[in-house]
Amino acid sequence: MPLALLALAIGAFGIGTTEFVIMGLLPDVANDFGVSIPTGGLLVTGYALGVMFGAPLMTVLGTKVPRKRMLMLLMGLFVLGNTLSAVAPVFSVMLIGRVVASFAHGAFFGIGSVVAADLVAPDKKAGAIAMMFTGLTIANVVGVPLGTLVGHSAGWRVTFAIVAALGVVGLAGIAKLVPNLPKPEGVHLRHELAAFKNAQVLLAMAMTVLGFGGVFAAVTYIAPMMTHVAGFSDGSVTWLLVLFGLGMVGGNLIGGKFADRALMPMLYVTLGSLAVVLALFTITAHNKVAAAVTIVLIGALGFATVPSLQKRVLDHAHGAPTLASAVNIGAFNLGNALAAWLGGVVIAHGLGYTAPNWVGAVLAAGALVFAFLSAALERRDTARGTVVAGAAPTEQRTAAATRSHG
């Protein structure tokens, strides 16, 4: 793997840290600004919405900019947002800082996925994407716990200042290590938008929303579930989240490796297993050891789908994949928001803290259904001779014309 992937992973580490560290620092931030916890929660909601809307917006704005330069601009935006959060005099300014930082998130991973895939041989693309996302997964194991510890001991502003410094390191790494990949000739915004007419791209995004949504249906409510049902102490939740992060790291790397060999079978196994494990979590949540093991499995199975789904989008948006790739990152956050809301609904209706696990199982099962549908459509199109696997749109038209003249 080229060193350029290390620079992308460092940027991903910083982004992953700033996205999730606020959850552990929320009471401190709310107290300092004199706002309620629900109001402070806007720092989480605002970030998620910023990712959803910022991913396509920033990618569209960057269609005429070389990808390396756009990655550098995005890291600059990330540094600006976190610096603004670190020095914010009032809550509204910090909220603006969070939104500014979030605008870099989706486009960075979307464009970064395209760049990572272009740096390696065709049979190593999913592995390269997984290597970049390793930075995000390690952030949940190292960055978030350390950032929370620093925030509690030295103040939350110090944490955001350190995250901004990480962004500077990532920016320097991209400037030094990422090559100046030529911008594809003849690719314009209309070509990027045309990718959304492809049913396979839309099905992959649906799998992203439901599959990763299944993970967050359970994980969003892991604290009350583990303390009230499993019997863990409040302080144990931190290391349980570290276990979840370790599962993410392993699942991401394994998923990237096997997706390059057999992408759709990998999705069948991971999504099907995820649905089963989430359903079983309603039972294992009542035992400390079983619950801890299940949390690791949820992290591993959930993130094993990420490189597979991201590569699936790239494969079917061939020739103009940047916008579709970025929107798929937004789809992860849409799944997170949808699942968290549905999980809250079932708890509010008195079904208990383990009820979100059933929500997650149903969502993951829905993603599996879309995976089977996607494969069936692909087989049908191949049988009809309308698709040339791996070919660019122009190559498909040429092949179709050849068949018609034959």
Side-chain angles (χ1 to χ4, degrees), residues 363-401:
L363 291 175
L368 180 61
V369 171
F370 279 123
F372 284 124
L373 176 60
S374 177
L377 289 176
E378 197 164 52
R379 287 193 299 270
R380 183 203 66 182
D381 290 342
T382 302
R384 290 180 177 179
T386 58
V387 171
V388 178
T394 53
E395 295 170 332
Q396 293 177 21
R397 288 193 294 270
T398 301

PDB file of all heavy atoms in Angstrom, residues 363-401:
ATOM      1  N   LEU A 363     -33.509  -3.629  10.228  1.00  0.00           N
ATOM      2  CA  LEU A 363     -32.822  -2.775   9.256  1.00  0.00           C
ATOM      3  C   LEU A 363     -31.742  -3.556   8.512  1.00  0.00           C
ATOM      4  O   LEU A 363     -31.625  -3.467   7.281  1.00  0.00           O
ATOM      5  CB  LEU A 363     -32.212  -1.564   9.957  1.00  0.00           C
ATOM      6  CG  LEU A 363     -33.187  -0.519  10.506  1.00  0.00           C
ATOM      7  CD1 LEU A 363     -32.435   0.550  11.289  1.00  0.00           C
ATOM      8  CD2 LEU A 363     -33.994   0.115   9.387  1.00  0.00           C
ATOM      9  N   ALA A 364     -30.938  -4.324   9.244  1.00  0.00           N
ATOM     10  CA  ALA A 364     -29.876  -5.118   8.606  1.00  0.00           C
ATOM     11  C   ALA A 364     -30.467  -6.165   7.664  1.00  0.00           C
ATOM     12  O   ALA A 364     -29.932  -6.418   6.577  1.00  0.00           O
ATOM     13  CB  ALA A 364     -29.006  -5.783   9.672  1.00  0.00           C
ATOM     14  N   ALA A 365     -31.579  -6.777   8.071  1.00  0.00           N
ATOM     15  CA  ALA A 365     -32.250  -7.745   7.202  1.00  0.00           C
ATOM     16  C   ALA A 365     -32.762  -7.068   5.939  1.00  0.00           C
ATOM     17  O   ALA A 365     -32.699  -7.644   4.835  1.00  0.00           O
ATOM     18  CB  ALA A 365     -33.400  -8.416   7.950  1.00  0.00           C
ATOM     19  N   GLY A 366     -33.243  -5.841   6.071  1.00  0.00           N
ATOM     20  CA  GLY A 366     -33.675  -5.082   4.901  1.00  0.00           C
ATOM     21  C   GLY A 366     -32.516  -4.820   3.945  1.00  0.00           C
ATOM     22  O   GLY A 366     -32.677  -4.902   2.717  1.00  0.00           O
ATOM     23  N   ALA A 367     -31.354  -4.511   4.502  1.00  0.00           N
ATOM     24  CA  ALA A 367     -30.172  -4.314   3.666  1.00  0.00           C
ATOM     25  C   ALA A 367     -29.805  -5.589   2.921  1.00  0.00           C
ATOM     26  O   ALA A 367     -29.397  -5.559   1.751  1.00  0.00           O
ATOM     27  CB  ALA A 367     -28.999  -3.854   4.535  1.00  0.00           C
ATOM     28  N   LEU A 368     -29.954  -6.738   3.596  1.00  0.00           N
ATOM     29  CA  LEU A 368     -29.667  -8.025   2.956  1.00  0.00           C
ATOM     30  C   LEU A 368     -30.620  -8.272   1.784  1.00  0.00           C
ATOM     31  O   LEU A 368     -30.207  -8.766   0.724  1.00  0.00           O
ATOM     32  CB  LEU A 368     -29.782  -9.149   3.979  1.00  0.00           C
ATOM     33  CG  LEU A 368     -29.513 -10.572   3.466  1.00  0.00           C
ATOM     34  CD1 LEU A 368     -28.091 -10.693   2.930  1.00  0.00           C
ATOM     35  CD2 LEU A 368     -29.747 -11.587   4.584  1.00  0.00           C
ATOM     36  N   VAL A 369     -31.879  -7.912   1.959  1.00  0.00           N
ATOM     37  CA  VAL A 369     -32.854  -8.056   0.871  1.00  0.00           C
ATOM     38  C   VAL A 369     -32.430  -7.219  -0.333  1.00  0.00           C
ATOM     39  O   VAL A 369     -32.487  -7.680  -1.487  1.00  0.00           O
ATOM     40  CB  VAL A 369     -34.265  -7.641   1.346  1.00  0.00           C
ATOM     41  CG1 VAL A 369     -35.236  -7.571   0.168  1.00  0.00           C
ATOM     42  CG2 VAL A 369     -34.779  -8.619   2.394  1.00  0.00           C
ATOM     43  N   PHE A 370     -31.994  -5.990  -0.082  1.00  0.00           N
ATOM     44  CA  PHE A 370     -31.529  -5.135  -1.175  1.00  0.00           C
ATOM     45  C   PHE A 370     -30.281  -5.718  -1.843  1.00  0.00           C
ATOM     46  O   PHE A 370     -30.092  -5.563  -3.057  1.00  0.00           O
ATOM     47  CB  PHE A 370     -31.237  -3.719  -0.666  1.00  0.00           C
ATOM     48  CG  PHE A 370     -32.460  -2.864  -0.527  1.00  0.00           C
ATOM     49  CD1 PHE A 370     -32.783  -2.275   0.689  1.00  0.00           C
ATOM     50  CD2 PHE A 370     -33.287  -2.641  -1.612  1.00  0.00           C
ATOM     51  CE1 PHE A 370     -33.911  -1.486   0.815  1.00  0.00           C
ATOM     52  CE2 PHE A 370     -34.430  -1.842  -1.497  1.00  0.00           C
ATOM     53  CZ  PHE A 370     -34.746  -1.264  -0.281  1.00  0.00           C
ATOM     54  N   ALA A 371     -29.432  -6.390  -1.066  1.00  0.00           N
ATOM     55  CA  ALA A 371     -28.241  -7.020  -1.645  1.00  0.00           C
ATOM     56  C   ALA A 371     -28.640  -8.130  -2.617  1.00  0.00           C
ATOM     57  O   ALA A 371     -28.091  -8.236  -3.731  1.00  0.00           O
ATOM     58  CB  ALA A 371     -27.349  -7.581  -0.540  1.00  0.00           C
ATOM     59  N   PHE A 372     -29.600  -8.963  -2.219  1.00  0.00           N
ATOM     60  CA  PHE A 372     -30.086 -10.019  -3.110  1.00  0.00           C
ATOM     61  C   PHE A 372     -30.753  -9.429  -4.355  1.00  0.00           C
ATOM     62  O   PHE A 372     -30.580  -9.931  -5.469  1.00  0.00           O
ATOM     63  CB  PHE A 372     -31.061 -10.938  -2.378  1.00  0.00           C
ATOM     64  CG  PHE A 372     -30.404 -11.906  -1.433  1.00  0.00           C
ATOM     65  CD1 PHE A 372     -30.761 -11.961  -0.093  1.00  0.00           C
ATOM     66  CD2 PHE A 372     -29.404 -12.770  -1.885  1.00  0.00           C
ATOM     67  CE1 PHE A 372     -30.156 -12.860   0.777  1.00  0.00           C
ATOM     68  CE2 PHE A 372     -28.798 -13.671  -1.022  1.00  0.00           C
ATOM     69  CZ  PHE A 372     -29.164 -13.714   0.311  1.00  0.00           C
ATOM     70  N   LEU A 373     -31.510  -8.354  -4.164  1.00  0.00           N
ATOM     71  CA  LEU A 373     -32.165  -7.691  -5.293  1.00  0.00           C
ATOM     72  C   LEU A 373     -31.131  -7.122  -6.254  1.00  0.00           C
ATOM     73  O   LEU A 373     -31.265  -7.255  -7.486  1.00  0.00           O
ATOM     74  CB  LEU A 373     -33.082  -6.579  -4.777  1.00  0.00           C
ATOM     75  CG  LEU A 373     -33.774  -5.714  -5.844  1.00  0.00           C
ATOM     76  CD1 LEU A 373     -34.653  -6.575  -6.741  1.00  0.00           C
ATOM     77  CD2 LEU A 373     -34.595  -4.608  -5.172  1.00  0.00           C
ATOM     78  N   SER A 374     -30.098  -6.498  -5.708  1.00  0.00           N
ATOM     79  CA  SER A 374     -29.030  -5.936  -6.534  1.00  0.00           C
ATOM     80  C   SER A 374     -28.361  -7.013  -7.378  1.00  0.00           C
ATOM     81  O   SER A 374     -28.129  -6.836  -8.581  1.00  0.00           O
ATOM     82  CB  SER A 374     -27.997  -5.245  -5.636  1.00  0.00           C
ATOM     83  OG  SER A 374     -26.913  -4.754  -6.395  1.00  0.00           O
ATOM     84  N   ALA A 375     -28.053  -8.145  -6.755  1.00  0.00           N
ATOM     85  CA  ALA A 375     -27.404  -9.240  -7.482  1.00  0.00           C
ATOM     86  C   ALA A 375     -28.327  -9.811  -8.551  1.00  0.00           C
ATOM     87  O   ALA A 375     -27.885 -10.152  -9.660  1.00  0.00           O
ATOM     88  CB  ALA A 375     -26.987 -10.333  -6.504  1.00  0.00           C
ATOM     89  N   ALA A 376     -29.627  -9.913  -8.235  1.00  0.00           N
ATOM     90  CA  ALA A 376     -30.582 -10.451  -9.211  1.00  0.00           C
ATOM     91  C   ALA A 376     -30.691  -9.544 -10.431  1.00  0.00           C
ATOM     92  O   ALA A 376     -30.729 -10.023 -11.577  1.00  0.00           O
ATOM     93  CB  ALA A 376     -31.950 -10.619  -8.551  1.00  0.00           C
ATOM     94  N   LEU A 377     -30.736  -8.229 -10.198  1.00  0.00           N
ATOM     95  CA  LEU A 377     -30.798  -7.284 -11.308  1.00  0.00           C
ATOM     96  C   LEU A 377     -29.536  -7.355 -12.160  1.00  0.00           C
ATOM     97  O   LEU A 377     -29.588  -7.260 -13.389  1.00  0.00           O
ATOM     98  CB  LEU A 377     -30.994  -5.862 -10.778  1.00  0.00           C
ATOM     99  CG  LEU A 377     -32.363  -5.534 -10.188  1.00  0.00           C
ATOM    100  CD1 LEU A 377     -32.369  -4.127  -9.621  1.00  0.00           C
ATOM    101  CD2 LEU A 377     -33.451  -5.675 -11.247  1.00  0.00           C
ATOM    102  N   GLU A 378     -28.399  -7.530 -11.476  1.00  0.00           N
ATOM    103  CA  GLU A 378     -27.134  -7.620 -12.212  1.00  0.00           C
ATOM    104  C   GLU A 378     -27.100  -8.874 -13.084  1.00  0.00           C
ATOM    105  O   GLU A 378     -26.647  -8.833 -14.239  1.00  0.00           O
ATOM    106  CB  GLU A 378     -25.973  -7.625 -11.220  1.00  0.00           C
ATOM    107  CG  GLU A 378     -24.633  -7.309 -11.840  1.00  0.00           C
ATOM    108  CD  GLU A 378     -23.603  -6.952 -10.778  1.00  0.00           C
ATOM    109  OE1 GLU A 378     -23.453  -7.735  -9.821  1.00  0.00           O
ATOM    110  OE2 GLU A 378     -22.967  -5.899 -10.901  1.00  0.00           O
ATOM    111  N   ARG A 379     -27.585  -9.983 -12.551  1.00  0.00           N
ATOM    112  CA  ARG A 379     -27.628 -11.214 -13.346  1.00  0.00           C
ATOM    113  C   ARG A 379     -28.580 -11.069 -14.526  1.00  0.00           C
ATOM    114  O   ARG A 379     -28.297 -11.527 -15.634  1.00  0.00           O
ATOM    115  CB  ARG A 379     -28.060 -12.395 -12.468  1.00  0.00           C
ATOM    116  CG  ARG A 379     -27.001 -12.866 -11.484  1.00  0.00           C
ATOM    117  CD  ARG A 379     -27.374 -14.215 -10.875  1.00  0.00           C
ATOM    118  NE  ARG A 379     -28.625 -14.154 -10.131  1.00  0.00           N
ATOM    119  CZ  ARG A 379     -28.707 -13.869  -8.845  1.00  0.00           C
ATOM    120  NH1 ARG A 379     -27.607 -13.602  -8.152  1.00  0.00           N
ATOM    121  NH2 ARG A 379     -29.889 -13.844  -8.232  1.00  0.00           N
ATOM    122  N   ARG A 380     -29.712 -10.414 -14.305  1.00  0.00           N
ATOM    123  CA  ARG A 380     -30.670 -10.209 -15.389  1.00  0.00           C
ATOM    124  C   ARG A 380     -30.066  -9.352 -16.501  1.00  0.00           C
ATOM    125  O   ARG A 380     -30.191  -9.674 -17.693  1.00  0.00           O
ATOM    126  CB  ARG A 380     -31.931  -9.545 -14.851  1.00  0.00           C
ATOM    127  CG  ARG A 380     -33.038  -9.349 -15.879  1.00  0.00           C
ATOM    128  CD  ARG A 380     -33.989  -8.238 -15.469  1.00  0.00           C
ATOM    129  NE  ARG A 380     -33.316  -6.940 -15.466  1.00  0.00           N
ATOM    130  CZ  ARG A 380     -33.904  -5.804 -15.111  1.00  0.00           C
ATOM    131  NH1 ARG A 380     -35.160  -5.810 -14.702  1.00  0.00           N
ATOM    132  NH2 ARG A 380     -33.236  -4.657 -15.139  1.00  0.00           N
ATOM    133  N   ASP A 381     -29.414  -8.256 -16.110  1.00  0.00           N
ATOM    134  CA  ASP A 381     -28.824  -7.373 -17.107  1.00  0.00           C
ATOM    135  C   ASP A 381     -27.701  -8.055 -17.867  1.00  0.00           C
ATOM    136  O   ASP A 381     -27.526  -7.857 -19.078  1.00  0.00           O
ATOM    137  CB  ASP A 381     -28.298  -6.098 -16.422  1.00  0.00           C
ATOM    138  CG  ASP A 381     -29.422  -5.198 -15.921  1.00  0.00           C
ATOM    139  OD1 ASP A 381     -30.564  -5.379 -16.396  1.00  0.00           O
ATOM    140  OD2 ASP A 381     -29.160  -4.338 -15.064  1.00  0.00           O
ATOM    141  N   THR A 382     -26.915  -8.863 -17.150  1.00  0.00           N
ATOM    142  CA  THR A 382     -25.837  -9.591 -17.804  1.00  0.00           C
ATOM    143  C   THR A 382     -26.398 -10.596 -18.803  1.00  0.00           C
ATOM    144  O   THR A 382     -25.881 -10.749 -19.918  1.00  0.00           O
ATOM    145  CB  THR A 382     -24.961 -10.313 -16.769  1.00  0.00           C
ATOM    146  OG1 THR A 382     -24.437  -9.351 -15.845  1.00  0.00           O
ATOM    147  CG2 THR A 382     -23.805 -11.042 -17.440  1.00  0.00           C
ATOM    148  N   ALA A 383     -27.475 -11.264 -18.406  1.00  0.00           N
ATOM    149  CA  ALA A 383     -28.102 -12.241 -19.300  1.00  0.00           C
ATOM    150  C   ALA A 383     -28.657 -11.579 -20.546  1.00  0.00           C
ATOM    151  O   ALA A 383     -28.634 -12.143 -21.638  1.00  0.00           O
ATOM    152  CB  ALA A 383     -29.215 -12.980 -18.559  1.00  0.00           C
ATOM    153  N   ARG A 384     -29.161 -10.369 -20.378  1.00  0.00           N
ATOM    154  CA  ARG A 384     -29.693  -9.634 -21.526  1.00  0.00           C
ATOM    155  C   ARG A 384     -28.596  -9.014 -22.383  1.00  0.00           C
ATOM    156  O   ARG A 384     -28.868  -8.472 -23.454  1.00  0.00           O
ATOM    157  CB  ARG A 384     -30.637  -8.520 -21.043  1.00  0.00           C
ATOM    158  CG  ARG A 384     -31.951  -9.038 -20.470  1.00  0.00           C
ATOM    159  CD  ARG A 384     -32.806  -7.873 -20.018  1.00  0.00           C
ATOM    160  NE  ARG A 384     -34.101  -8.330 -19.516  1.00  0.00           N
ATOM    161  CZ  ARG A 384     -35.037  -7.495 -19.031  1.00  0.00           C
ATOM    162  NH1 ARG A 384     -34.789  -6.191 -18.995  1.00  0.00           N
ATOM    163  NH2 ARG A 384     -36.181  -7.973 -18.605  1.00  0.00           N
ATOM    164  N   GLY A 385     -27.364  -9.037 -21.857  1.00  0.00           N
ATOM    165  CA  GLY A 385     -26.251  -8.470 -22.602  1.00  0.00           C
ATOM    166  C   GLY A 385     -26.201  -6.970 -22.581  1.00  0.00           C
ATOM    167  O   GLY A 385     -25.648  -6.345 -23.491  1.00  0.00           O
ATOM    168  N   THR A 386     -26.798  -6.351 -21.523  1.00  0.00           N
ATOM    169  CA  THR A 386     -26.814  -4.889 -21.461  1.00  0.00           C
ATOM    170  C   THR A 386     -25.706  -4.324 -20.617  1.00  0.00           C
ATOM    171  O   THR A 386     -25.542  -3.113 -20.536  1.00  0.00           O
ATOM    172  CB  THR A 386     -28.151  -4.392 -20.881  1.00  0.00           C
ATOM    173  OG1 THR A 386     -28.328  -4.956 -19.586  1.00  0.00           O
ATOM    174  CG2 THR A 386     -29.298  -4.804 -21.780  1.00  0.00           C
ATOM    175  N   VAL A 387     -24.938  -5.198 -19.937  1.00  0.00           N
ATOM    176  CA  VAL A 387     -23.885  -4.713 -19.063  1.00  0.00           C
ATOM    177  C   VAL A 387     -22.589  -5.407 -19.409  1.00  0.00           C
ATOM    178  O   VAL A 387     -22.550  -6.608 -19.591  1.00  0.00           O
ATOM    179  CB  VAL A 387     -24.227  -4.976 -17.572  1.00  0.00           C
ATOM    180  CG1 VAL A 387     -23.032  -4.659 -16.695  1.00  0.00           C
ATOM    181  CG2 VAL A 387     -25.413  -4.135 -17.165  1.00  0.00           C
ATOM    182  N   VAL A 388     -21.529  -4.661 -19.522  1.00  0.00           N
ATOM    183  CA  VAL A 388     -20.192  -5.208 -19.628  1.00  0.00           C
ATOM    184  C   VAL A 388     -19.503  -4.937 -18.312  1.00  0.00           C
ATOM    185  O   VAL A 388     -19.265  -3.793 -17.957  1.00  0.00           O
ATOM    186  CB  VAL A 388     -19.404  -4.554 -20.790  1.00  0.00           C
ATOM    187  CG1 VAL A 388     -17.992  -5.103 -20.836  1.00  0.00           C
ATOM    188  CG2 VAL A 388     -20.114  -4.802 -22.110  1.00  0.00           C
ATOM    189  N   ALA A 389     -19.245  -5.985 -17.539  1.00  0.00           N
ATOM    190  CA  ALA A 389     -18.742  -5.808 -16.171  1.00  0.00           C
ATOM    191  C   ALA A 389     -17.471  -4.998 -16.157  1.00  0.00           C
ATOM    192  O   ALA A 389     -16.529  -5.270 -16.884  1.00  0.00           O
ATOM    193  CB  ALA A 389     -18.494  -7.172 -15.539  1.00  0.00           C
ATOM    194  N   GLY A 390     -17.471  -3.968 -15.326  1.00  0.00           N
ATOM    195  CA  GLY A 390     -16.274  -3.155 -15.130  1.00  0.00           C
ATOM    196  C   GLY A 390     -16.026  -2.162 -16.226  1.00  0.00           C
ATOM    197  O   GLY A 390     -15.037  -1.444 -16.201  1.00  0.00           O
ATOM    198  N   ALA A 391     -16.891  -2.063 -17.241  1.00  0.00           N
ATOM    199  CA  ALA A 391     -16.630  -1.153 -18.342  1.00  0.00           C
ATOM    200  C   ALA A 391     -17.169   0.230 -18.040  1.00  0.00           C
ATOM    201  O   ALA A 391     -18.140   0.407 -17.333  1.00  0.00           O
ATOM    202  CB  ALA A 391     -17.283  -1.690 -19.613  1.00  0.00           C
ATOM    203  N   ALA A 392     -16.502   1.224 -18.615  1.00  0.00           N
ATOM    204  CA  ALA A 392     -16.977   2.591 -18.516  1.00  0.00           C
ATOM    205  C   ALA A 392     -18.203   2.740 -19.398  1.00  0.00           C
ATOM    206  O   ALA A 392     -18.437   1.938 -20.304  1.00  0.00           O
ATOM    207  CB  ALA A 392     -15.876   3.560 -18.968  1.00  0.00           C
ATOM    208  N   PRO A 393     -19.040   3.784 -19.188  1.00  0.00           N
ATOM    209  CA  PRO A 393     -20.240   3.959 -19.984  1.00  0.00           C
ATOM    210  C   PRO A 393     -19.971   3.960 -21.487  1.00  0.00           C
ATOM    211  O   PRO A 393     -20.722   3.387 -22.257  1.00  0.00           O
ATOM    212  CB  PRO A 393     -20.783   5.311 -19.492  1.00  0.00           C
ATOM    213  CG  PRO A 393     -20.300   5.400 -18.083  1.00  0.00           C
ATOM    214  CD  PRO A 393     -18.952   4.739 -18.080  1.00  0.00           C
ATOM    215  N   THR A 394     -18.891   4.621 -21.909  1.00  0.00           N
ATOM    216  CA  THR A 394     -18.584   4.661 -23.330  1.00  0.00           C
ATOM    217  C   THR A 394     -18.241   3.278 -23.845  1.00  0.00           C
ATOM    218  O   THR A 394     -18.597   2.907 -24.959  1.00  0.00           O
ATOM    219  CB  THR A 394     -17.401   5.611 -23.592  1.00  0.00           C
ATOM    220  OG1 THR A 394     -16.315   5.225 -22.742  1.00  0.00           O
ATOM    221  CG2 THR A 394     -17.771   7.048 -23.313  1.00  0.00           C
ATOM    222  N   GLU A 395     -17.542   2.471 -23.006  1.00  0.00           N
ATOM    223  CA  GLU A 395     -17.199   1.117 -23.396  1.00  0.00           C
ATOM    224  C   GLU A 395     -18.447   0.253 -23.494  1.00  0.00           C
ATOM    225  O   GLU A 395     -18.563  -0.613 -24.364  1.00  0.00           O
ATOM    226  CB  GLU A 395     -16.222   0.514 -22.389  1.00  0.00           C
ATOM    227  CG  GLU A 395     -14.880   1.222 -22.372  1.00  0.00           C
ATOM    228  CD  GLU A 395     -14.022   0.768 -21.205  1.00  0.00           C
ATOM    229  OE1 GLU A 395     -14.579   0.361 -20.183  1.00  0.00           O
ATOM    230  OE2 GLU A 395     -12.788   0.831 -21.339  1.00  0.00           O
ATOM    231  N   GLN A 396     -19.424   0.496 -22.586  1.00  0.00           N
ATOM    232  CA  GLN A 396     -20.666  -0.251 -22.638  1.00  0.00           C
ATOM    233  C   GLN A 396     -21.415   0.050 -23.929  1.00  0.00           C
ATOM    234  O   GLN A 396     -21.960  -0.846 -24.574  1.00  0.00           O
ATOM    235  CB  GLN A 396     -21.542   0.085 -21.429  1.00  0.00           C
ATOM    236  CG  GLN A 396     -20.947  -0.404 -20.108  1.00  0.00           C
ATOM    237  CD  GLN A 396     -21.803   0.006 -18.938  1.00  0.00           C
ATOM    238  OE1 GLN A 396     -22.991   0.290 -19.111  1.00  0.00           O
ATOM    239  NE2 GLN A 396     -21.230   0.042 -17.759  1.00  0.00           N
ATOM    240  N   ARG A 397     -21.446   1.331 -24.325  1.00  0.00           N
ATOM    241  CA  ARG A 397     -22.137   1.688 -25.544  1.00  0.00           C
ATOM    242  C   ARG A 397     -21.449   1.053 -26.752  1.00  0.00           C
ATOM    243  O   ARG A 397     -22.095   0.596 -27.689  1.00  0.00           O
ATOM    244  CB  ARG A 397     -22.191   3.220 -25.682  1.00  0.00           C
ATOM    245  CG  ARG A 397     -23.139   3.892 -24.710  1.00  0.00           C
ATOM    246  CD  ARG A 397     -23.396   5.334 -25.105  1.00  0.00           C
ATOM    247  NE  ARG A 397     -22.185   6.144 -24.994  1.00  0.00           N
ATOM    248  CZ  ARG A 397     -21.845   6.790 -23.890  1.00  0.00           C
ATOM    249  NH1 ARG A 397     -22.601   6.708 -22.812  1.00  0.00           N
ATOM    250  NH2 ARG A 397     -20.744   7.522 -23.844  1.00  0.00           N
ATOM    251  N   THR A 398     -20.096   1.045 -26.727  1.00  0.00           N
ATOM    252  CA  THR A 398     -19.356   0.447 -27.826  1.00  0.00           C
ATOM    253  C   THR A 398     -19.650  -1.041 -27.933  1.00  0.00           C
ATOM    254  O   THR A 398     -19.867  -1.576 -29.015  1.00  0.00           O
ATOM    255  CB  THR A 398     -17.842   0.662 -27.615  1.00  0.00           C
ATOM    256  OG1 THR A 398     -17.591   2.059 -27.548  1.00  0.00           O
ATOM    257  CG2 THR A 398     -17.042   0.051 -28.773  1.00  0.00           C
ATOM    258  N   ALA A 399     -19.655  -1.703 -26.762  1.00  0.00           N
ATOM    259  CA  ALA A 399     -19.933  -3.137 -26.754  1.00  0.00           C
ATOM    260  C   ALA A 399     -21.349  -3.427 -27.248  1.00  0.00           C
ATOM    261  O   ALA A 399     -21.587  -4.365 -27.991  1.00  0.00           O
ATOM    262  CB  ALA A 399     -19.750  -3.695 -25.341  1.00  0.00           C
ATOM    263  N   ALA A 400     -22.299  -2.563 -26.825  1.00  0.00           N
ATOM    264  CA  ALA A 400     -23.685  -2.752 -27.264  1.00  0.00           C
ATOM    265  C   ALA A 400     -23.809  -2.574 -28.771  1.00  0.00           C
ATOM    266  O   ALA A 400     -24.519  -3.312 -29.452  1.00  0.00           O
ATOM    267  CB  ALA A 400     -24.610  -1.769 -26.534  1.00  0.00           C
ATOM    268  N   ALA A 401     -23.084  -1.560 -29.283  1.00  0.00           N
ATOM    269  CA  ALA A 401     -23.132  -1.324 -30.716  1.00  0.00           C
ATOM    270  C   ALA A 401     -22.522  -2.494 -31.480  1.00  0.00           C
ATOM    271  O   ALA A 401     -23.013  -2.908 -32.534  1.00  0.00           O
ATOM    272  CB  ALA A 401     -22.385  -0.037 -31.048  1.00  0.00           C
TER     273      ALA A 401
END
